[in-house]
Amino acid sequence: MSRVQTVTVGEEDADQRLDRWFRRQFPQISQGLIEKMCRKGEIRVDGGRVKAATRLDAGQQVRVPPLPDRAAPPPEPRTSVSDADSKLIQSCVIYRDDHVIALNKPAGLPTQGGSKQTRHVDGLAEALKFGFDEKPRLVHRLDKDTSGVLLLARTRLAAKALTAAMRHRETRKIYWALVAGVPTPYLGEIKYGLVKAPGHGRGGEGEKMIALHPRDIDDTPGAKRAHTLYATLYRVGSRSAWVAMEPLTGRTHQLRAHMAEIGHPIVGDGKYGGSGQENMGDGWGAQLGGIISKKLHLHARMMRFEHPETRKTITVTADLPAHMAQSWETFGWTEDLAAEDPFEALG
């Protein structure tokens, strides 16, 4: 059993969760024991009680109580990524340096594990080390059925910088979508708040975001403000339109819920768009029929961010997935018809 000790948090560990920091410092200690010591007040930061999820700042003093010397049993070997999955995820890389990796995430591949999800980007990232000791870290997410630009950080410091940039809205994200009907005005903004409605399964499966008028946000428990810019780029009569969107906030399902709320759900969105093909007063359905794919037509086309090391502005763009490219071809559209930043061009 060790003695009580005080450890100073280094710059490289800033903004890291206490439990993760603790396991790196003392790998023989289990997550359960860390949480127990936090509940009992045995682990303290700058003299105060903390939770396992508390984020640390550089220079803080962590009180570490006496710890057992016995080493924990060896961890179970990680499931290796198959050759096929390694080739798949490596083929998705569209930008890479010593600090950042950007993927063009395929539609249908979850970003992280969850209910019944065992194959996901976070797991496949083992194949994205490219000579580094640790796998790259996720710094944001995309819905399972949304394709496009997904950033990963190759170092802890890069992860901290990118996460902070996204938290403070210092990145630009442009999405493309095919929507039912034609939004008017062609250039607009959506400010409906969002509140989560519970799912039906034990794990919260089927949860959905409900849109709220801005005047109702403050009076609705759990509601959050959400802000989306949209630009209608091209249309097919009154049937459908190619829309660019920029989320100024990062709420769950924000773009999908916002477009559905204004009566123009994203094609292929069964959760928010329904399946009807007529506008009966509550918005268009999410299927166009014919040869247009029933998959979700939502793609993270472009991300612009400040490089965490060089501080230079980096812009990454991702080609459309096959099902959206086929729809674009059907309507006679090509990717080069749209400006890289349509809001700048239209503004």
Side-chain angles (χ1 to χ4, degrees):
M1 186 75 72
S2 65
R3 298 180 178 180
V4 173
Q5 52 188 308
T6 300
V7 181
T8 302
V9 179
E11 288 285 348
E12 70 279 4
D13 291 322
D15 202 38
Q16 187 174 182
R17 282 172 54 121
L18 172 65
D19 51 0
R20 293 174 184 167
W21 175 90
F22 211 94
R23 290 202 305 272
R24 289 178 64 87
Q25 302 292 324
F26 309 100
Q28 77 273 24
I29 306 303
S30 68
Q31 176 72 19
L33 182 55
I34 294 172
E35 294 178 2
K36 180 179 179 181
M37 291 188 293
C38 286
R39 288 196 301 271
K40 294 173 68 176
E42 294 174 344
I43 297 176
R44 291 177 177 255
V45 175
D46 288 345
R49 299 176 73 103
V50 287
K51 296 182 179 180
T54 298
R55 291 197 176 273
L56 300 172
D57 291 326
Q60 286 186 315
Q61 303 287 311
V62 181
R63 178 194 185 274
V64 179
L67 302 175
D69 298 322
R70 181 177 59 85
E76 296 182 5
R78 290 181 176 177
T79 303
S80 60
V81 180
S82 70
D83 289 344
D85 279 344
S86 293
K87 291 179 181 178
L88 167 69
I89 200 68
Q90 289 174 5
S91 72
C92 295
V93 175
I94 52 178
Y95 176 88
R96 180 181 119 201
D97 60 29
D98 287 344
H99 306 275
V100 181
I101 289 178
L103 304 179
N104 184 355
K105 186 189 83 67
L109 180 65
T111 303
Q112 290 178 295
S115 176
K116 300 180 181 178
Q117 302 293 346
T118 57
R119 182 172 174 269
H120 44 77
V121 173
D122 193 33
L124 299 184
E126 286 288 335
L128 297 175
K129 292 180 179 178
F130 298 116
F132 279 40
D133 292 334
E134 296 184 7
K135 72 177 186 179
R137 300 166 172 83
L138 294 166
V139 294
H140 66 118
R141 297 181 57 180
L142 291 177
D143 289 348
K144 174 185 174 183
D145 295 319
T146 302
S147 58
V149 181
L150 182 69
L151 289 189
L152 297 91
R154 302 192 72 186
T155 67
R156 188 176 307 280
L157 290 177
K160 177 186 174 183
L162 290 171
T163 300
M166 292 186 186
R167 185 182 303 139
H168 297 113
R169 302 179 190 174
E170 294 170 351
T171 59
R172 295 284 311 281
K173 301 176 186 177
I174 304 295
Y175 289 74
W176 284 357
L178 183 66
V179 305
V182 180
T184 52
Y186 291 152
L187 185 65
E189 57 184 343
I190 307 168
K191 292 187 175 180
Y192 285 100
L194 297 171
V195 63
K196 184 179 295 185
H200 305 296
R202 287 189 302 174
E205 297 88 350
E207 67 181 18
K208 187 174 181 179
M209 304 306 290
I210 304 299
L212 298 169
H213 192 280
R215 65 170 173 264
D216 298 325
I217 297 174
D218 291 339
D219 297 327
T220 304
K224 295 181 178 180
R225 296 188 179 277
H227 192 181
T228 299
L229 302 181
Y230 75 84
T232 304
L233 303 181
Y234 294 92
R235 60 187 183 129
V236 183
S238 60
R239 183 185 180 202
S240 187
W242 170 2
V243 171
M245 294 171 288
E246 180 178 5
L248 300 185
T249 51
R251 311 303 183 197
T252 300
H253 296 175
Q254 175 177 320
L255 301 180
R256 297 164 62 185
H258 269 176
M259 295 309 296
E261 183 63 22
I262 65 170
H264 300 286
I266 297 171
V267 171
D269 192 347
K271 182 183 288 286
Y272 292 95
S275 58
Q277 295 184 42
E278 292 184 317
N279 187 340
M280 303 301 290
D282 58 354
W284 287 76
Q287 299 297 343
L288 295 182
I291 64 171
I292 301 302
S293 171
K294 292 184 179 180
K295 293 181 180 179
L296 183 69
H297 284 61
L298 178 60
H299 179 69
R301 169 64 176 182
M302 184 270 278
M303 181 175 288
R304 184 173 294 149
F305 61 95
E306 182 183 86
H307 192 278
E309 181 68 20
T310 67
R311 303 304 176 190
K312 293 181 179 179
T313 299
I314 303 294
T315 300
V316 181
T317 58
D319 292 339
L320 288 172
H323 70 281
M324 289 183 67
Q326 181 180 13
S327 298
W328 260 235
E329 183 178 358
T330 300
F331 294 133
W333 300 331
T334 56
E335 295 184 27
D336 60 2
L337 288 175
E340 182 178 80
D341 188 341
F343 299 98
E344 184 178 65
L346 292 172

